[in-house]
Amino acid sequence: MFETFTHRQIETSGAVINLRHGGSGPPVLLLHGHPQTHVMWHKVAPKLAETYTVVCADLRGYGDSSKPATTPDHEPYSKRAMARDQVEAMQALGFERFAVVGHDRGGRCAYRMALDHPDRIVSLSVLDIIPTAEHFQRTDMAFAMGYWHWFFLAQPHPIPERLIASDPDVFYLRRGRSLFDEAALAEYRRCYTDPTTIHAMCEDYRAGATIDMRLDEEDQKAGRRIACPVQALWGLKNGLERWYDVVGVWRDWAGRVEGHGIDCGHYLAEEAPEETLAALEPFLERAFKD
């Protein structure tokens, strides 16, 4: 996995970010979801690296990136803090402007990055998400049952941590082991069985229900929108399309939005890597030409 990529750990102002980078050409940052690490891109990154300089990074709190101390307001695990890490890491690699592709929690970091650092982001691709505030504002029975873990993980410390730590596999692999490559799964298990990672991931969701929600609502009230082109992709076998007009929701947040569903579940880059690449490649090509 990632045989042609270079491994680095970059110290930013708030965290040490673990990443791999490879290829040459315009820079593309790939950000993973929960409870994964940068390894989730192992079927996508090598192909993209034929055309682009690809950076696959662990979010703070995940993988081998550092786990900053928590605070009562959960700010250290806000998507604003995570986005700041990644902008600084890319700058340390020599990239002032870049495209970003984010899945799940990485997608939430990515769209916050596009809002907070519009001069840095060439294009934004989000995989299987809508903005955090939109989920909470539109919560109904279907979403609450389907994404019950959002409400569980956001509960006060230490209840979620203790329950998860009693059997992490039962919690994290509830959608099925068969979705993941064995080597990738071993890497995920190495990380998500670590109590400090479990706590950090709970803090991520606590931040989602508090500071991230507030920041999104502030942007909505102020009329701030994402300036760069936005691509939304989602799994047709997951719940997103049943609950929302995905592209329509994103058009409330950005002026240039395109996207479609892919015949898979939540983990697009691992379940349907060829279809994911077929969507990402022309979008990135257009973005870097504009």
Side-chain angles (χ1 to χ4, degrees):
M1 252 181 224
F2 298 97
E3 291 83 0
T4 63
F5 281 58
T6 299
H7 176 245
R8 283 191 62 180
Q9 291 195 324
I10 295 176
E11 186 168 355
T12 71
S13 61
V16 176
I17 298 302
N18 184 68
L19 58 81
R20 297 183 190 276
H21 63 92
S24 60
V28 179
L29 172 63
L30 305 182
L31 297 175
H32 64 86
H34 170 273
Q36 297 150 295
T37 72
H38 74 276
V39 169
M40 69 156 281
W41 300 106
H42 67 98
K43 294 180 179 179
V44 169
K47 182 67 169 64
L48 283 179
E50 294 175 7
T51 306
Y52 302 100
T53 300
V54 177
V55 180
C56 304
D58 291 339
L59 300 170
R60 68 161 64 189
Y62 289 78
D64 289 319
S65 288
S66 63
K67 283 77 180 169
T70 58
T71 60
D73 65 359
H74 313 296
E75 190 281 336
Y77 289 88
S78 68
K79 305 312 157 294
R80 172 163 286 172
M82 291 182 177
R84 188 168 57 244
D85 292 338
Q86 299 300 330
V87 167
E88 292 180 19
M90 291 298 280
Q91 190 170 27
L93 292 171
F95 304 125
E96 297 293 331
R97 299 188 74 242
F98 53 91
V100 60
V101 180
H103 171 253
D104 188 79
R105 307 310 285 184
R108 302 187 187 286
C109 172
Y111 83 76
R112 174 49 52 193
M113 195 183 308
L115 286 163
D116 286 358
H117 307 275
D119 56 325
R120 302 281 189 176
I121 307 304
V122 173
S123 68
L124 168 66
S125 297
V126 287
L127 276 57
D128 218 51
I129 69 162
I130 62 170
T132 299
E134 297 284 356
H135 277 301
F136 282 121
Q137 291 165 353
R138 298 164 184 256
T139 295
D140 59 9
M141 183 72 134
F143 174 72
M145 292 299 289
Y147 274 31
W148 58 270
H149 62 284
W150 275 42
F151 305 94
F152 167 66
L153 291 168
Q155 295 304 306
H157 174 270
I159 292 174
E161 286 91 338
R162 288 186 180 178
L163 292 174
I164 294 168
S166 68
D167 195 338
D169 283 347
V170 166
F171 182 73
Y172 291 122
L173 299 182
R174 62 190 181 277
R175 298 191 189 194
R177 294 171 180 263
S178 62
L179 299 174
F180 308 109
D181 176 269
E182 283 300 318
L185 180 58
E187 178 66 5
Y188 304 154
R189 291 194 75 257
R190 178 183 71 83
C191 297
Y192 72 56
T193 54
D194 178 354
T196 61
T197 303
I198 293 173
H199 176 57
M201 292 193 292
C202 290
E203 282 295 302
D204 172 10
Y205 281 81
R206 291 177 185 126
T210 55
I211 185 170
D212 293 343
M213 177 70 175
R214 175 173 59 79
L215 292 173
D216 278 7
E217 289 183 323
E218 288 175 359
D219 287 331
Q220 286 177 313
K221 185 176 181 179
R224 281 188 287 271
R225 290 163 64 80
I226 296 167
C228 67
V230 175
Q231 177 185 51
L233 304 172
W234 61 91
L236 292 171
K237 295 178 181 176
N238 202 30
L240 214 62
E241 187 174 273
R242 295 197 304 273
W243 303 331
Y244 314 108
D245 171 5
V246 181
V247 170
V249 171
W250 280 107
R251 284 182 176 149
D252 289 337
W253 289 75
R256 292 174 288 172
V257 182
E258 62 184 79
H260 61 270
I262 291 176
D263 187 20
C264 64
H266 178 58
Y267 302 100
L268 282 73
E270 292 175 281
E271 296 180 58
E274 292 182 4
E275 294 87 345
T276 302
L277 278 165
L280 290 175
E281 288 177 319
F283 178 74
L284 291 169
E285 182 180 5
R286 292 195 305 274
F288 280 111
K289 281 183 178 178
D290 289 346

